[in-house]
Amino acid sequence: MPLSLLTSPPTPAPRILPNFFSASPSHFTTTRFLTNKRFRTTISIVAKASEEDDDKPAFNPFGFVTDNPSSRSAIQLPESPAEDGNVGQMLYRIEDKGKEYGSYIKAGGFRWFVRETGSTESRRGTIIFLHGAPTQSYSYRVVMSQMADAGFHCFAPDWIGFGFSDKPQAGYGFDYTEKEFHEAFDKLLDVLGVASPFFLVVQGFLVGSYGLTWALKNPSRISKLGIMNTQLTVSSPIPGLFNNLRIPFLGEFTCQNAVMAERFIEAGSPYVLKLEKADVYRLPYLSSSGPGFALLEATKKANFNDIKSQISAGFASGSWDKPILVAWGISDKYLPQSVAEEFQKGNPDFVKLKLIEGAGHMPQEDWPEKVVDALRYFF
């Protein structure tokens, strides 16, 4: 297989940015950008298919990141990126996006990115919104704004390792275990001065589930609990992303896919993200390897079966006596509606189920207005 190597003059002490891939029926091209502040070296390796395979559809090993419009707009780079654009320019285009209502808070030795709407004088109380993996608190921006208008004081942090919060290397003060996520969250609440009891809203996998296991350990701090699509029963399926992250080598490759978050959101939703939204979910994974490795470590340390058992038993009748609203996007492609229905049957006196038509795995992103209607009535 012939190879052609095209290089520009070498760059001293380069900084490696993520790989991106594109494929055509006759060849695939891998482009890696090596940059510092003044220079760039671009290396393209083109592997052409043999002539006898010209009439056969080529296997595209990177199709999982090229089969939707928003991802394609990010990674289908031109043949001459030096002339038409590069990853650095992409970062420059989106680096200031997605920080609505947000600021940095130091707690427990880490810097958290926390969104806040409303004020301590808000008459209807405080709501803490917790996101799941592999996303970030950006998903709550519209819900937070409208809930503040309704008289609530709202906080939505990016978990450590996610979004715009710190992403410490595992083994250096944070190992991404359930216990450490709980302890870090406790310290953040102390710094924010959140008085108990407060309203808690949780959505999503992994760190979203840790929000629920934290609530089980701290029932006196919760007034009412809102839950959107997350694993609530022992029968709840685990998406392929988290299974892949556990496989040696494949996990390391998967976690460095810069469009992983937006692809995960779209795969669980009936909608394709608009580019300006996809940009924000992509940004942490595009700008650094840290978020990917944080997700990898958190996934490896998580015992999903134990987490599901804790949640299913902990919120059952006789174990939990605080009001719960389950606002469920019925078009979720990861978690069927039956998960929410089974959960409600386990504690019908305290669990209210609200089905949200037209919403998928992330109702707060797909249809925030309906989420706000449900939460305002419940809280």
Side-chain angles (χ1 to χ4, degrees), residues 162-217:
F162 294 82
F164 300 112
S165 290
D166 276 352
K167 302 156 187 75
Q169 183 178 348
Y172 291 85
F174 198 81
D175 284 332
Y176 296 95
T177 64
E178 179 183 14
K179 181 175 182 289
E180 288 173 311
F181 277 114
H182 286 174
E183 291 172 347
F185 183 54
D186 281 330
K187 293 173 182 177
L188 176 64
L189 291 176
D190 289 342
V191 171
L192 294 176
V194 176
S196 299
F198 57 86
F199 304 120
L200 180 65
V201 176
V202 174
Q203 184 273 328
F205 292 99
L206 191 55
V207 286
S209 296
Y210 288 164
L212 293 180
T213 56
W214 180 90
L216 289 172
K217 291 178 173 63

Side-chain angles (χ1 to χ4, degrees), residues 2 14 21 31 39 44 64 66 103 121 135 224 308 322 331:
F21 308 92
T31 304
F39 304 98
S44 293
F64 71 99
T66 62
S103 61
E121 288 76 35
T135 64
K224 293 183 179 181
K308 291 189 291 184
K322 302 290 181 66
S331 297

Side-chain angles (χ1 to χ4, degrees), residues 99-103 113-117 141-142 144-145:
K99 296 187 177 181
E100 293 90 339
Y101 318 116
S103 61
F113 183 79
V114 181
R115 301 173 197 271
E116 179 181 8
T117 59
R141 66 200 178 281
V142 178
M144 290 180 65
S145 175

Side-chain angles (χ1 to χ4, degrees), residues 16-79:
I16 299 178
L17 293 178
N19 287 326
F20 292 84
F21 308 92
S22 62
S24 71
S26 61
H27 69 275
F28 66 86
T29 302
T30 300
T31 304
R32 165 169 277 185
F33 295 103
L34 302 145
T35 67
N36 65 14
K37 291 183 179 179
R38 298 182 60 190
F39 304 98
R40 179 179 69 250
T41 297
T42 303
I43 299 176
S44 293
I45 301 176
V46 180
K48 296 185 177 179
S50 59
E51 292 184 1
E52 61 268 20
D53 292 333
D54 285 346
D55 58 345
K56 298 179 181 179
F59 169 66
N60 175 9
F62 310 114
F64 71 99
V65 295
T66 62
D67 59 357
N68 73 300
S70 60
S71 298
R72 190 177 304 119
S73 68
I75 63 179
Q76 295 292 342
L77 301 176
E79 293 183 4

